[in-house]
Amino acid sequence: MTPLLPTATTTEERQRNAQVAILPVGSFEQHGDYLPLSTDTIVATLIARQIADAYPVLLLPPVTISCSHEHSAWPGTVSISARTLHAIVTDVYDSVTRSGPTALVVINGHGGNYVLSNVVQEGNTEGRHMALFPSREDWHEARTAAQLTSTMHEDMHAGELETSLLLHACPEVIRPGYHSADWTADDRRHLLTKGMQAYTDSGVIGRPSLATAEKGKTLLDSLASSFGDVLNLFTKS
């Protein structure tokens, strides 16, 4: 399995002289019976490492606990408040830009981190240089490239996409059972009020049975390619 923590030295970072730092943000929340609680952190880190292999960026260690309140009915799930996550990302930006980079891109691995959009938008109006990646459009393009069968709405949690990424990069963390864990809950209009437990018994919403390692590889390749447009926002020619 790819290491979750960066291993570069300060000398190597001085030589790299990156203008952009990337911060993976995951979560620690239930992902059914077959994916680990750290799934979103693994996903965010996989994307960040794929980017760091392709572009001269400063790869930061992941934020491993975030806003998973909708999953609180399941054992093991841990959350911090939206205001705490806001403060963490802002503090990281302020710190990292004192040591060289002039911009921070947040690599979000958890769809429930709604506050990250506000952090980035507010930051830019206040003079910080920030971006959030992947966007919904980036995910759509990656899903199309990987020929995923389920839609983004259907594939909400522990489904085809997340299982494919882990099958590709770290199959050893997947427990048995994903082939028979498909669960549909397309109408989730009261999710913010009732939580995930109102829509799924297992914690799964999606079709993990469709997952393959090949899809996972293509997803990562597509996302890394899309990141070039983000990098161009902040790097000097």
mmCIF file with all atom_site columns, all heavy atoms in Angstrom, residues 141-166:
data_model
loop_
_atom_site.group_PDB
_atom_site.id
_atom_site.type_symbol
_atom_site.label_atom_id
_atom_site.label_alt_id
_atom_site.label_comp_id
_atom_site.label_asym_id
_atom_site.label_entity_id
_atom_site.label_seq_id
_atom_site.pdbx_PDB_ins_code
_atom_site.Cartn_x
_atom_site.Cartn_y
_atom_site.Cartn_z
_atom_site.occupancy
_atom_site.B_iso_or_equiv
_atom_site.pdbx_formal_charge
_atom_site.auth_seq_id
_atom_site.auth_comp_id
_atom_site.auth_asym_id
_atom_site.auth_atom_id
_atom_site.pdbx_PDB_model_num
ATOM 1   N N   . GLU A 1 141 ? -15.925 13.836 -15.188 1.00 0.00 ? 141 GLU A N   1
ATOM 2   C CA  . GLU A 1 141 ? -15.014 13.458 -16.266 1.00 0.00 ? 141 GLU A CA  1
ATOM 3   C C   . GLU A 1 141 ? -14.266 12.169 -15.931 1.00 0.00 ? 141 GLU A C   1
ATOM 4   O O   . GLU A 1 141 ? -14.069 11.301 -16.803 1.00 0.00 ? 141 GLU A O   1
ATOM 5   C CB  . GLU A 1 141 ? -14.031 14.589 -16.542 1.00 0.00 ? 141 GLU A CB  1
ATOM 6   C CG  . GLU A 1 141 ? -14.674 15.811 -17.167 1.00 0.00 ? 141 GLU A CG  1
ATOM 7   C CD  . GLU A 1 141 ? -13.715 16.975 -17.288 1.00 0.00 ? 141 GLU A CD  1
ATOM 8   O OE1 . GLU A 1 141 ? -12.528 16.827 -16.889 1.00 0.00 ? 141 GLU A OE1 1
ATOM 9   O OE2 . GLU A 1 141 ? -14.151 18.052 -17.769 1.00 0.00 ? 141 GLU A OE2 1
ATOM 10  N N   . ALA A 1 142 ? -13.846 12.020 -14.687 1.00 0.00 ? 142 ALA A N   1
ATOM 11  C CA  . ALA A 1 142 ? -13.125 10.812 -14.283 1.00 0.00 ? 142 ALA A CA  1
ATOM 12  C C   . ALA A 1 142 ? -14.036 9.596  -14.330 1.00 0.00 ? 142 ALA A C   1
ATOM 13  O O   . ALA A 1 142 ? -13.626 8.508  -14.771 1.00 0.00 ? 142 ALA A O   1
ATOM 14  C CB  . ALA A 1 142 ? -12.558 10.997 -12.873 1.00 0.00 ? 142 ALA A CB  1
ATOM 15  N N   . ARG A 1 143 ? -15.272 9.752  -13.896 1.00 0.00 ? 143 ARG A N   1
ATOM 16  C CA  . ARG A 1 143 ? -16.224 8.633  -13.947 1.00 0.00 ? 143 ARG A CA  1
ATOM 17  C C   . ARG A 1 143 ? -16.491 8.214  -15.387 1.00 0.00 ? 143 ARG A C   1
ATOM 18  O O   . ARG A 1 143 ? -16.597 7.025  -15.693 1.00 0.00 ? 143 ARG A O   1
ATOM 19  C CB  . ARG A 1 143 ? -17.532 9.031  -13.258 1.00 0.00 ? 143 ARG A CB  1
ATOM 20  C CG  . ARG A 1 143 ? -17.411 9.290  -11.767 1.00 0.00 ? 143 ARG A CG  1
ATOM 21  C CD  . ARG A 1 143 ? -18.755 9.726  -11.191 1.00 0.00 ? 143 ARG A CD  1
ATOM 22  N NE  . ARG A 1 143 ? -19.665 8.596  -11.182 1.00 0.00 ? 143 ARG A NE  1
ATOM 23  C CZ  . ARG A 1 143 ? -19.839 7.783  -10.152 1.00 0.00 ? 143 ARG A CZ  1
ATOM 24  N NH1 . ARG A 1 143 ? -19.152 7.984  -9.025  1.00 0.00 ? 143 ARG A NH1 1
ATOM 25  N NH2 . ARG A 1 143 ? -20.684 6.788  -10.223 1.00 0.00 ? 143 ARG A NH2 1
ATOM 26  N N   . THR A 1 144 ? -16.596 9.203  -16.280 1.00 0.00 ? 144 THR A N   1
ATOM 27  C CA  . THR A 1 144 ? -16.815 8.893  -17.696 1.00 0.00 ? 144 THR A CA  1
ATOM 28  C C   . THR A 1 144 ? -15.606 8.164  -18.277 1.00 0.00 ? 144 THR A C   1
ATOM 29  O O   . THR A 1 144 ? -15.749 7.173  -19.001 1.00 0.00 ? 144 THR A O   1
ATOM 30  C CB  . THR A 1 144 ? -17.090 10.183 -18.478 1.00 0.00 ? 144 THR A CB  1
ATOM 31  O OG1 . THR A 1 144 ? -18.262 10.819 -17.958 1.00 0.00 ? 144 THR A OG1 1
ATOM 32  C CG2 . THR A 1 144 ? -17.303 9.888  -19.956 1.00 0.00 ? 144 THR A CG2 1
ATOM 33  N N   . ALA A 1 145 ? -14.412 8.643  -17.964 1.00 0.00 ? 145 ALA A N   1
ATOM 34  C CA  . ALA A 1 145 ? -13.192 8.005  -18.479 1.00 0.00 ? 145 ALA A CA  1
ATOM 35  C C   . ALA A 1 145 ? -13.076 6.566  -17.997 1.00 0.00 ? 145 ALA A C   1
ATOM 36  O O   . ALA A 1 145 ? -12.634 5.678  -18.744 1.00 0.00 ? 145 ALA A O   1
ATOM 37  C CB  . ALA A 1 145 ? -11.967 8.801  -18.041 1.00 0.00 ? 145 ALA A CB  1
ATOM 38  N N   . ALA A 1 146 ? -13.469 6.319  -16.745 1.00 0.00 ? 146 ALA A N   1
ATOM 39  C CA  . ALA A 1 146 ? -13.367 4.976  -16.163 1.00 0.00 ? 146 ALA A CA  1
ATOM 40  C C   . ALA A 1 146 ? -14.558 4.085  -16.512 1.00 0.00 ? 146 ALA A C   1
ATOM 41  O O   . ALA A 1 146 ? -14.591 2.923  -16.125 1.00 0.00 ? 146 ALA A O   1
ATOM 42  C CB  . ALA A 1 146 ? -13.234 5.083  -14.648 1.00 0.00 ? 146 ALA A CB  1
ATOM 43  N N   . GLN A 1 147 ? -15.536 4.667  -17.209 1.00 0.00 ? 147 GLN A N   1
ATOM 44  C CA  . GLN A 1 147 ? -16.734 3.931  -17.626 1.00 0.00 ? 147 GLN A CA  1
ATOM 45  C C   . GLN A 1 147 ? -17.477 3.324  -16.436 1.00 0.00 ? 147 GLN A C   1
ATOM 46  O O   . GLN A 1 147 ? -17.894 2.166  -16.467 1.00 0.00 ? 147 GLN A O   1
ATOM 47  C CB  . GLN A 1 147 ? -16.378 2.847  -18.655 1.00 0.00 ? 147 GLN A CB  1
ATOM 48  C CG  . GLN A 1 147 ? -15.766 3.396  -19.929 1.00 0.00 ? 147 GLN A CG  1
ATOM 49  C CD  . GLN A 1 147 ? -15.469 2.331  -20.967 1.00 0.00 ? 147 GLN A CD  1
ATOM 50  O OE1 . GLN A 1 147 ? -15.289 1.160  -20.661 1.00 0.00 ? 147 GLN A OE1 1
ATOM 51  N NE2 . GLN A 1 147 ? -15.433 2.737  -22.230 1.00 0.00 ? 147 GLN A NE2 1
ATOM 52  N N   . LEU A 1 148 ? -17.641 4.145  -15.405 1.00 0.00 ? 148 LEU A N   1
ATOM 53  C CA  . LEU A 1 148 ? -18.440 3.696  -14.270 1.00 0.00 ? 148 LEU A CA  1
ATOM 54  C C   . LEU A 1 148 ? -19.903 3.557  -14.689 1.00 0.00 ? 148 LEU A C   1
ATOM 55  O O   . LEU A 1 148 ? -20.411 4.367  -15.460 1.00 0.00 ? 148 LEU A O   1
ATOM 56  C CB  . LEU A 1 148 ? -18.320 4.667  -13.099 1.00 0.00 ? 148 LEU A CB  1
ATOM 57  C CG  . LEU A 1 148 ? -17.208 4.329  -12.079 1.00 0.00 ? 148 LEU A CG  1
ATOM 58  C CD1 . LEU A 1 148 ? -15.834 4.362  -12.699 1.00 0.00 ? 148 LEU A CD1 1
ATOM 59  C CD2 . LEU A 1 148 ? -17.275 5.279  -10.891 1.00 0.00 ? 148 LEU A CD2 1
ATOM 60  N N   . THR A 1 149 ? -20.543 2.540  -14.165 1.00 0.00 ? 149 THR A N   1
ATOM 61  C CA  . THR A 1 149 ? -21.927 2.258  -14.538 1.00 0.00 ? 149 THR A CA  1
ATOM 62  C C   . THR A 1 149 ? -22.904 3.111  -13.755 1.00 0.00 ? 149 THR A C   1
ATOM 63  O O   . THR A 1 149 ? -23.877 3.635  -14.299 1.00 0.00 ? 149 THR A O   1
ATOM 64  C CB  . THR A 1 149 ? -22.241 0.770  -14.303 1.00 0.00 ? 149 THR A CB  1
ATOM 65  O OG1 . THR A 1 149 ? -21.328 -0.023 -15.067 1.00 0.00 ? 149 THR A OG1 1
ATOM 66  C CG2 . THR A 1 149 ? -23.667 0.432  -14.712 1.00 0.00 ? 149 THR A CG2 1
ATOM 67  N N   . SER A 1 150 ? -22.681 3.280  -12.471 1.00 0.00 ? 150 SER A N   1
ATOM 68  C CA  . SER A 1 150 ? -23.597 4.045  -11.625 1.00 0.00 ? 150 SER A CA  1
ATOM 69  C C   . SER A 1 150 ? -23.361 5.541  -11.808 1.00 0.00 ? 150 SER A C   1
ATOM 70  O O   . SER A 1 150 ? -22.275 5.989  -12.180 1.00 0.00 ? 150 SER A O   1
ATOM 71  C CB  . SER A 1 150 ? -23.409 3.660  -10.158 1.00 0.00 ? 150 SER A CB  1
ATOM 72  O OG  . SER A 1 150 ? -22.050 3.801  -9.766  1.00 0.00 ? 150 SER A OG  1
ATOM 73  N N   . THR A 1 151 ? -24.398 6.333  -11.535 1.00 0.00 ? 151 THR A N   1
ATOM 74  C CA  . THR A 1 151 ? -24.287 7.784  -11.625 1.00 0.00 ? 151 THR A CA  1
ATOM 75  C C   . THR A 1 151 ? -23.715 8.350  -10.331 1.00 0.00 ? 151 THR A C   1
ATOM 76  O O   . THR A 1 151 ? -23.656 7.666  -9.304  1.00 0.00 ? 151 THR A O   1
ATOM 77  C CB  . THR A 1 151 ? -25.661 8.427  -11.868 1.00 0.00 ? 151 THR A CB  1
ATOM 78  O OG1 . THR A 1 151 ? -26.484 8.231  -10.705 1.00 0.00 ? 151 THR A OG1 1
ATOM 79  C CG2 . THR A 1 151 ? -26.342 7.816  -13.088 1.00 0.00 ? 151 THR A CG2 1
ATOM 80  N N   . MET A 1 152 ? -23.326 9.625  -10.371 1.00 0.00 ? 152 MET A N   1
ATOM 81  C CA  . MET A 1 152 ? -22.786 10.265 -9.174  1.00 0.00 ? 152 MET A CA  1
ATOM 82  C C   . MET A 1 152 ? -23.821 10.285 -8.051  1.00 0.00 ? 152 MET A C   1
ATOM 83  O O   . MET A 1 152 ? -23.478 10.131 -6.880  1.00 0.00 ? 152 MET A O   1
ATOM 84  C CB  . MET A 1 152 ? -22.327 11.686 -9.496  1.00 0.00 ? 152 MET A CB  1
ATOM 85  C CG  . MET A 1 152 ? -21.090 11.753 -10.360 1.00 0.00 ? 152 MET A CG  1
ATOM 86  S SD  . MET A 1 152 ? -20.548 13.435 -10.735 1.00 0.00 ? 152 MET A SD  1
ATOM 87  C CE  . MET A 1 152 ? -20.036 13.988 -9.114  1.00 0.00 ? 152 MET A CE  1
ATOM 88  N N   . HIS A 1 153 ? -25.090 10.482 -8.394  1.00 0.00 ? 153 HIS A N   1
ATOM 89  C CA  . HIS A 1 153 ? -26.127 10.513 -7.364  1.00 0.00 ? 153 HIS A CA  1
ATOM 90  C C   . HIS A 1 153 ? -26.353 9.134  -6.762  1.00 0.00 ? 153 HIS A C   1
ATOM 91  O O   . HIS A 1 153 ? -26.475 8.986  -5.544  1.00 0.00 ? 153 HIS A O   1
ATOM 92  C CB  . HIS A 1 153 ? -27.438 11.049 -7.942  1.00 0.00 ? 153 HIS A CB  1
ATOM 93  C CG  . HIS A 1 153 ? -28.531 11.146 -6.919  1.00 0.00 ? 153 HIS A CG  1
ATOM 94  N ND1 . HIS A 1 153 ? -28.554 12.126 -5.958  1.00 0.00 ? 153 HIS A ND1 1
ATOM 95  C CD2 . HIS A 1 153 ? -29.621 10.364 -6.696  1.00 0.00 ? 153 HIS A CD2 1
ATOM 96  C CE1 . HIS A 1 153 ? -29.613 11.955 -5.187  1.00 0.00 ? 153 HIS A CE1 1
ATOM 97  N NE2 . HIS A 1 153 ? -30.288 10.899 -5.611  1.00 0.00 ? 153 HIS A NE2 1
ATOM 98  N N   . GLU A 1 154 ? -26.394 8.108  -7.601  1.00 0.00 ? 154 GLU A N   1
ATOM 99  C CA  . GLU A 1 154 ? -26.596 6.746  -7.110  1.00 0.00 ? 154 GLU A CA  1
ATOM 100 C C   . GLU A 1 154 ? -25.426 6.272  -6.267  1.00 0.00 ? 154 GLU A C   1
ATOM 101 O O   . GLU A 1 154 ? -25.605 5.577  -5.270  1.00 0.00 ? 154 GLU A O   1
ATOM 102 C CB  . GLU A 1 154 ? -26.770 5.791  -8.302  1.00 0.00 ? 154 GLU A CB  1
ATOM 103 C CG  . GLU A 1 154 ? -28.018 6.013  -9.125  1.00 0.00 ? 154 GLU A CG  1
ATOM 104 C CD  . GLU A 1 154 ? -27.976 5.263  -10.444 1.00 0.00 ? 154 GLU A CD  1
ATOM 105 O OE1 . GLU A 1 154 ? -26.856 4.956  -10.924 1.00 0.00 ? 154 GLU A OE1 1
ATOM 106 O OE2 . GLU A 1 154 ? -29.055 4.994  -10.992 1.00 0.00 ? 154 GLU A OE2 1
ATOM 107 N N   . ASP A 1 155 ? -24.227 6.673  -6.675  1.00 0.00 ? 155 ASP A N   1
ATOM 108 C CA  . ASP A 1 155 ? -22.988 6.158  -6.084  1.00 0.00 ? 155 ASP A CA  1
ATOM 109 C C   . ASP A 1 155 ? -22.537 7.064  -4.951  1.00 0.00 ? 155 ASP A C   1
ATOM 110 O O   . ASP A 1 155 ? -21.476 7.672  -4.998  1.00 0.00 ? 155 ASP A O   1
ATOM 111 C CB  . ASP A 1 155 ? -21.929 6.090  -7.185  1.00 0.00 ? 155 ASP A CB  1
ATOM 112 C CG  . ASP A 1 155 ? -20.703 5.305  -6.783  1.00 0.00 ? 155 ASP A CG  1
ATOM 113 O OD1 . ASP A 1 155 ? -20.813 4.402  -5.931  1.00 0.00 ? 155 ASP A OD1 1
ATOM 114 O OD2 . ASP A 1 155 ? -19.621 5.591  -7.320  1.00 0.00 ? 155 ASP A OD2 1
ATOM 115 N N   . MET A 1 156 ? -23.339 7.140  -3.893  1.00 0.00 ? 156 MET A N   1
ATOM 116 C CA  . MET A 1 156 ? -23.083 8.121  -2.852  1.00 0.00 ? 156 MET A CA  1
ATOM 117 C C   . MET A 1 156 ? -21.994 7.703  -1.881  1.00 0.00 ? 156 MET A C   1
ATOM 118 O O   . MET A 1 156 ? -21.144 8.505  -1.512  1.00 0.00 ? 156 MET A O   1
ATOM 119 C CB  . MET A 1 156 ? -24.369 8.400  -2.068  1.00 0.00 ? 156 MET A CB  1
ATOM 120 C CG  . MET A 1 156 ? -24.155 9.399  -0.938  1.00 0.00 ? 156 MET A CG  1
ATOM 121 S SD  . MET A 1 156 ? -25.488 9.397  0.254   1.00 0.00 ? 156 MET A SD  1
ATOM 122 C CE  . MET A 1 156 ? -24.872 10.594 1.433   1.00 0.00 ? 156 MET A CE  1
ATOM 123 N N   . HIS A 1 157 ? -22.003 6.424  -1.442  1.00 0.00 ? 157 HIS A N   1
ATOM 124 C CA  . HIS A 1 157 ? -21.150 6.070  -0.313  1.00 0.00 ? 157 HIS A CA  1
ATOM 125 C C   . HIS A 1 157 ? -20.781 4.594  -0.339  1.00 0.00 ? 157 HIS A C   1
ATOM 126 O O   . HIS A 1 157 ? -21.666 3.731  -0.368  1.00 0.00 ? 157 HIS A O   1
ATOM 127 C CB  . HIS A 1 157 ? -21.870 6.392  1.006   1.00 0.00 ? 157 HIS A CB  1
ATOM 128 C CG  . HIS A 1 157 ? -20.976 6.362  2.195   1.00 0.00 ? 157 HIS A CG  1
ATOM 129 N ND1 . HIS A 1 157 ? -19.967 7.285  2.391   1.00 0.00 ? 157 HIS A ND1 1
ATOM 130 C CD2 . HIS A 1 157 ? -20.916 5.526  3.252   1.00 0.00 ? 157 HIS A CD2 1
ATOM 131 C CE1 . HIS A 1 157 ? -19.344 7.025  3.519   1.00 0.00 ? 157 HIS A CE1 1
ATOM 132 N NE2 . HIS A 1 157 ? -19.885 5.953  4.054   1.00 0.00 ? 157 HIS A NE2 1
ATOM 133 N N   . ALA A 1 158 ? -19.457 4.327  -0.346  1.00 0.00 ? 158 ALA A N   1
ATOM 134 C CA  . ALA A 1 158 ? -18.925 2.953  -0.326  1.00 0.00 ? 158 ALA A CA  1
ATOM 135 C C   . ALA A 1 158 ? -19.385 2.153  -1.517  1.00 0.00 ? 158 ALA A C   1
ATOM 136 O O   . ALA A 1 158 ? -19.577 0.936  -1.441  1.00 0.00 ? 158 ALA A O   1
ATOM 137 C CB  . ALA A 1 158 ? -19.318 2.249  0.975   1.00 0.00 ? 158 ALA A CB  1
ATOM 138 N N   . GLY A 1 159 ? -19.552 2.839  -2.644  1.00 0.00 ? 159 GLY A N   1
ATOM 139 C CA  . GLY A 1 159 ? -20.064 2.200  -3.846  1.00 0.00 ? 159 GLY A CA  1
ATOM 140 C C   . GLY A 1 159 ? -19.004 1.882  -4.877  1.00 0.00 ? 159 GLY A C   1
ATOM 141 O O   . GLY A 1 159 ? -17.865 1.549  -4.556  1.00 0.00 ? 159 GLY A O   1
ATOM 142 N N   . GLU A 1 160 ? -19.378 2.027  -6.133  1.00 0.00 ? 160 GLU A N   1
ATOM 143 C CA  . GLU A 1 160 ? -18.522 1.637  -7.251  1.00 0.00 ? 160 GLU A CA  1
ATOM 144 C C   . GLU A 1 160 ? -17.217 2.425  -7.283  1.00 0.00 ? 160 GLU A C   1
ATOM 145 O O   . GLU A 1 160 ? -16.137 1.850  -7.485  1.00 0.00 ? 160 GLU A O   1
ATOM 146 C CB  . GLU A 1 160 ? -19.288 1.842  -8.562  1.00 0.00 ? 160 GLU A CB  1
ATOM 147 C CG  . GLU A 1 160 ? -18.536 1.421  -9.805  1.00 0.00 ? 160 GLU A CG  1
ATOM 148 C CD  . GLU A 1 160 ? -19.329 1.637  -11.080 1.00 0.00 ? 160 GLU A CD  1
ATOM 149 O OE1 . GLU A 1 160 ? -20.379 2.336  -11.037 1.00 0.00 ? 160 GLU A OE1 1
ATOM 150 O OE2 . GLU A 1 160 ? -18.900 1.118  -12.128 1.00 0.00 ? 160 GLU A OE2 1
ATOM 151 N N   . LEU A 1 161 ? -17.280 3.734  -7.068  1.00 0.00 ? 161 LEU A N   1
ATOM 152 C CA  . LEU A 1 161 ? -16.086 4.576  -7.184  1.00 0.00 ? 161 LEU A CA  1
ATOM 153 C C   . LEU A 1 161 ? -15.092 4.303  -6.062  1.00 0.00 ? 161 LEU A C   1
ATOM 154 O O   . LEU A 1 161 ? -13.921 4.000  -6.327  1.00 0.00 ? 161 LEU A O   1
ATOM 155 C CB  . LEU A 1 161 ? -16.497 6.050  -7.202  1.00 0.00 ? 161 LEU A CB  1
ATOM 156 C CG  . LEU A 1 161 ? -15.361 7.053  -7.422  1.00 0.00 ? 161 LEU A CG  1
ATOM 157 C CD1 . LEU A 1 161 ? -15.866 8.238  -8.254  1.00 0.00 ? 161 LEU A CD1 1
ATOM 158 C CD2 . LEU A 1 161 ? -14.821 7.578  -6.090  1.00 0.00 ? 161 LEU A CD2 1
ATOM 159 N N   . GLU A 1 162 ? -15.533 4.424  -4.826  1.00 0.00 ? 162 GLU A N   1
ATOM 160 C CA  . GLU A 1 162 ? -14.600 4.264  -3.711  1.00 0.00 ? 162 GLU A CA  1
ATOM 161 C C   . GLU A 1 162 ? -14.017 2.850  -3.658  1.00 0.00 ? 162 GLU A C   1
ATOM 162 O O   . GLU A 1 162 ? -12.817 2.668  -3.401  1.00 0.00 ? 162 GLU A O   1
ATOM 163 C CB  . GLU A 1 162 ? -15.297 4.595  -2.389  1.00 0.00 ? 162 GLU A CB  1
ATOM 164 C CG  . GLU A 1 162 ? -15.608 6.073  -2.249  1.00 0.00 ? 162 GLU A CG  1
ATOM 165 C CD  . GLU A 1 162 ? -16.257 6.420  -0.932  1.00 0.00 ? 162 GLU A CD  1
ATOM 166 O OE1 . GLU A 1 162 ? -17.178 5.692  -0.496  1.00 0.00 ? 162 GLU A OE1 1
ATOM 167 O OE2 . GLU A 1 162 ? -15.858 7.427  -0.334  1.00 0.00 ? 162 GLU A OE2 1
ATOM 168 N N   . THR A 1 163 ? -14.852 1.868  -3.908  1.00 0.00 ? 163 THR A N   1
ATOM 169 C CA  . THR A 1 163 ? -14.361 0.484  -3.878  1.00 0.00 ? 163 THR A CA  1
ATOM 170 C C   . THR A 1 163 ? -13.364 0.243  -4.996  1.00 0.00 ? 163 THR A C   1
ATOM 171 O O   . THR A 1 163 ? -12.353 -0.452 -4.803  1.00 0.00 ? 163 THR A O   1
ATOM 172 C CB  . THR A 1 163 ? -15.532 -0.505 -3.955  1.00 0.00 ? 163 THR A CB  1
ATOM 173 O OG1 . THR A 1 163 ? -16.501 -0.177 -2.952  1.00 0.00 ? 163 THR A OG1 1
ATOM 174 C CG2 . THR A 1 163 ? -15.066 -1.929 -3.741  1.00 0.00 ? 163 THR A CG2 1
ATOM 175 N N   . SER A 1 164 ? -13.600 0.839  -6.173  1.00 0.00 ? 164 SER A N   1
ATOM 176 C CA  . SER A 1 164 ? -12.659 0.689  -7.293  1.00 0.00 ? 164 SER A CA  1
ATOM 177 C C   . SER A 1 164 ? -11.301 1.302  -6.967  1.00 0.00 ? 164 SER A C   1
ATOM 178 O O   . SER A 1 164 ? -10.247 0.708  -7.255  1.00 0.00 ? 164 SER A O   1
ATOM 179 C CB  . SER A 1 164 ? -13.228 1.357  -8.553  1.00 0.00 ? 164 SER A CB  1
ATOM 180 O OG  . SER A 1 164 ? -14.332 0.655  -9.063  1.00 0.00 ? 164 SER A OG  1
ATOM 181 N N   . LEU A 1 165 ? -11.306 2.490  -6.343  1.00 0.00 ? 165 LEU A N   1
ATOM 182 C CA  . LEU A 1 165 ? -10.042 3.136  -5.998  1.00 0.00 ? 165 LEU A CA  1
ATOM 183 C C   . LEU A 1 165 ? -9.225  2.282  -5.034  1.00 0.00 ? 165 LEU A C   1
ATOM 184 O O   . LEU A 1 165 ? -8.009  2.127  -5.196  1.00 0.00 ? 165 LEU A O   1
ATOM 185 C CB  . LEU A 1 165 ? -10.315 4.511  -5.390  1.00 0.00 ? 165 LEU A CB  1
ATOM 186 C CG  . LEU A 1 165 ? -10.777 5.593  -6.371  1.00 0.00 ? 165 LEU A CG  1
ATOM 187 C CD1 . LEU A 1 165 ? -11.276 6.815  -5.621  1.00 0.00 ? 165 LEU A CD1 1
ATOM 188 C CD2 . LEU A 1 165 ? -9.658  5.978  -7.327  1.00 0.00 ? 165 LEU A CD2 1
ATOM 189 N N   . LEU A 1 166 ? -9.885  1.711  -4.034  1.00 0.00 ? 166 LEU A N   1
ATOM 190 C CA  . LEU A 1 166 ? -9.162  0.883  -3.068  1.00 0.00 ? 166 LEU A CA  1
ATOM 191 C C   . LEU A 1 166 ? -8.767  -0.467 -3.662  1.00 0.00 ? 166 LEU A C   1
ATOM 192 O O   . LEU A 1 166 ? -7.701  -0.993 -3.325  1.00 0.00 ? 166 LEU A O   1
ATOM 193 C CB  . LEU A 1 166 ? -9.977  0.703  -1.787  1.00 0.00 ? 166 LEU A CB  1
ATOM 194 C CG  . LEU A 1 166 ? -9.691  1.769  -0.707  1.00 0.00 ? 166 LEU A CG  1
ATOM 195 C CD1 . LEU A 1 166 ? -10.046 3.170  -1.199  1.00 0.00 ? 166 LEU A CD1 1
ATOM 196 C CD2 . LEU A 1 166 ? -10.439 1.456  0.583   1.00 0.00 ? 166 LEU A CD2 1
#
